[in-house]
């Protein structure tokens, strides 16, 4: 028999549960009261086990092949690929992750491992979105140096180290895509990358032009200009301007009947094999 105090606490927990349903809260926190077998203390135990996220595919070996540089997707449909680079600002990284989670928009992230502190807290949210194919992660190198300034071993190290970090953090390979920092690359660098399985060098055809701090008006004007069928658009998780604009960007995408897709979806590649299907 629960003591009166226990009963009051139980009623309080039940009331909290009712309140959260009325407020439209997400369900993972729904719990019922129980008693710890060892201490006799009240504990919250899950009423039903949370559904496990779909499993991530096993990390495939590299598939070296000739490299292709891509800047644009097919213009015959209504697809666009929104790509989001770097991650220097924790709040903006969190904003983009939340944007993906709450809207279901398909995004491709190009994070650098030096910003592990900004990205790692979101691994639990991102992994199921990655497994579901809504979010893709590509290689943007570990330290974001201009690859033209590095030796062959240095280029290899930047790509391998970042892929190792993404695999460890998010459970998925970045192959076959890499985006050179600053968009600066050479045929030699692309060939080095291709030997590691990076057979697609991804540039961009449109940009929010927000690698530097810009005004909301400027960012939206860039979006108006560039969000067109087939565009690979570049944005950055570096400055907070975009945080107040997600709804307006979605409105623009919907008003133009554009369909945001990942690079895998746009180019029929597969993160499960790390190459073309
Ligand atoms: Zn970058």
């Amino acid at each position: 028999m629960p003591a009166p105090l226990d009963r009051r606490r139980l009623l309080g927990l039940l009331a909290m549960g009712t309140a959260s349903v009325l407020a439209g809260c997400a369900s993972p926190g729904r719990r019922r009261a129980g008693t710890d077998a060892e201490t006799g203390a009240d504990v919250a135990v899950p009423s039903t086990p949370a559904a496990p996220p779909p499993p991530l595919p096993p990390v495939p070996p590299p598939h070296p092949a000739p490299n292709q540089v891509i800047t644009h997707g097919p213009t015959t449909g209504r697809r666009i690929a929104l790509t989001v680079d770097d991650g220097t600002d924790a709040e903006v990284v969190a904003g983009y992750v939340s944007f993906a989670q709450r809207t279901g928009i398909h995004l491709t992230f190009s994070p650098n491992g030096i910003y592990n502190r900004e990205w790692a807290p979101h691994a639990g949210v991102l992994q199921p979105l990655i497994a579901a194919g809504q979010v893709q992660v590509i290689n943007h190198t570990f330290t974001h140096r201009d690859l033209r300034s590095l030796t062959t071993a240095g280029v290899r190290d930047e790509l391998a180290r970042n892929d190792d970090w993404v695999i460890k953090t998010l459970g998925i390979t970045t192959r076959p895509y890499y985006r050179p920092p600053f968009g600066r690359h050479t045929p030699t660098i692309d060939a080095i990358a291709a030997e590691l399985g990076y057979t697609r060098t991804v540039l961009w055809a449109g940009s929010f032009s927000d690698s530097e701090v810009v005004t909301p008006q400027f960012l939206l004007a860039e979006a108006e200009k560039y969000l067109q069928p087939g565009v690979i658009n570049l944005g950055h998780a570096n400055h907070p301007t975009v945080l107040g604009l997600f709804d307006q960007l979605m409105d623009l995408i919907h008003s133009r009947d554009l369909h945001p897709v990942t690079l895998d979806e746009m180019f029929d590649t597969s993160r499960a094999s790390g190459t073309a299907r």
Side-chain angles (χ1 to χ4, degrees), residues 117-142:
R117 201 171 57 176
E118 286 73 17
W119 288 98
H122 307 292
V125 170
L126 285 173
Q127 282 180 6
L129 304 185
I130 292 167
Q134 182 196 331
V135 167
Q136 183 167 1
V137 182
I138 67 168
N139 203 327
H140 193 37
T141 76
F142 195 85

Side-chain angles (χ1 to χ4, degrees), residues 185-228:
H185 68 114
T186 64
T188 303
I189 292 168
D190 290 337
I192 297 166
E195 285 171 9
L196 298 178
Y198 294 97
T199 54
R200 303 288 189 284
T201 302
V202 190
L203 302 178
W204 57 92
S207 175
F208 294 154
S209 304
D210 63 348
S211 61
E212 306 295 328
V213 176
V214 296
T215 65
Q217 293 75 15
F218 179 79
L219 194 154
L220 281 177
E222 294 292 273
E224 289 262 353
K225 196 188 324 178
Y226 290 121
L227 295 188
Q228 307 287 349

Side-chain angles (χ1 to χ4, degrees), residues 78-112:
R78 307 297 300 174
R79 292 174 155 197
I80 55 169
L82 300 176
T83 62
V84 182
D85 286 13
D86 309 347
T88 65
D89 186 300
E91 210 183 325
V92 185
V93 171
Y96 263 112
V97 171
S98 163
F99 177 48
Q101 191 182 26
R102 76 183 163 83
T103 66
I105 191 170
H106 287 212
L107 294 176
T108 299
F109 290 123
S110 327
N112 309 104

